[in-house]
Amino acid sequence: MIFEIDSGEREPLDEAEPGYRREDGFEVTVADTGACKTVSTYIVLEECRNLDLKPFDWYLALVVAGTMEHRFPAPVIANYRGTAIGVDEDKNRASKADSLLQAAGFGSIRQVLRLG
């Protein structure tokens, strides 16, 4: 997905992503139209790469909700739902994400991720 942000939001986003570097001038093709877009993306720094890290449940639920909203194919959504998760000890972040998901009509974190 491509998100548009104001130029004034770039620096705070850079600061919110420690361990990543922003790459500008990244070329992507938009699936629906075939148009070529130049975007920015964040790439993890090699020294910060940790393949054992798992996304927090609330973060993965937001990603899954995004795939649902943008009508990704069912196998892609299922693949995301199958991702191993970590549970965030900061219950405030999970609570905020849960409220956002419910307000947007997706249900709770557990419902979005289809957890028992």
Side-chain angles (χ1 to χ4, degrees), residues 59 75 109:
Y59 180 86
I109 292 169

Side-chain angles (χ1 to χ4, degrees), residues 7-114:
S7 59
E9 294 175 316
R10 289 172 70 92
E11 191 173 321
L13 186 56
D14 291 348
E15 292 169 6
E17 294 293 350
Y20 292 82
R21 76 174 189 282
R22 188 180 75 223
E23 274 297 310
D24 297 319
F26 193 79
E27 300 288 327
V28 296
T29 302
V30 179
D32 338 6
T33 65
C36 187
K37 287 260 195 194
T38 302
V39 300
S40 298
T41 190
Y42 287 86
I43 299 174
V44 69
L45 300 172
E46 190 61 39
E47 64 271 16
C48 296
R49 186 179 303 259
N50 181 346
L51 299 178
D52 295 325
L53 283 178
K54 296 176 181 77
F56 290 134
D57 53 353
W58 61 264
Y59 180 86
L60 183 60
L62 291 170
V63 170
V64 169
T67 64
M68 294 165 59
E69 181 177 354
H70 292 279
R71 297 187 175 101
F72 279 40
V76 173
I77 296 170
N79 187 49
Y80 276 111
R81 281 188 170 127
T83 300
I85 55 173
V87 177
D88 192 352
E89 298 301 320
D90 182 343
K91 301 300 180 199
N92 189 41
R93 290 188 290 214
S95 178
K96 285 181 183 177
D98 207 52
S99 294
L100 284 171
L101 290 165
Q102 290 189 43
F106 289 102
S108 69
I109 292 169
R110 296 189 65 76
Q111 290 170 318
V112 171
L113 296 180
R114 295 191 176 162

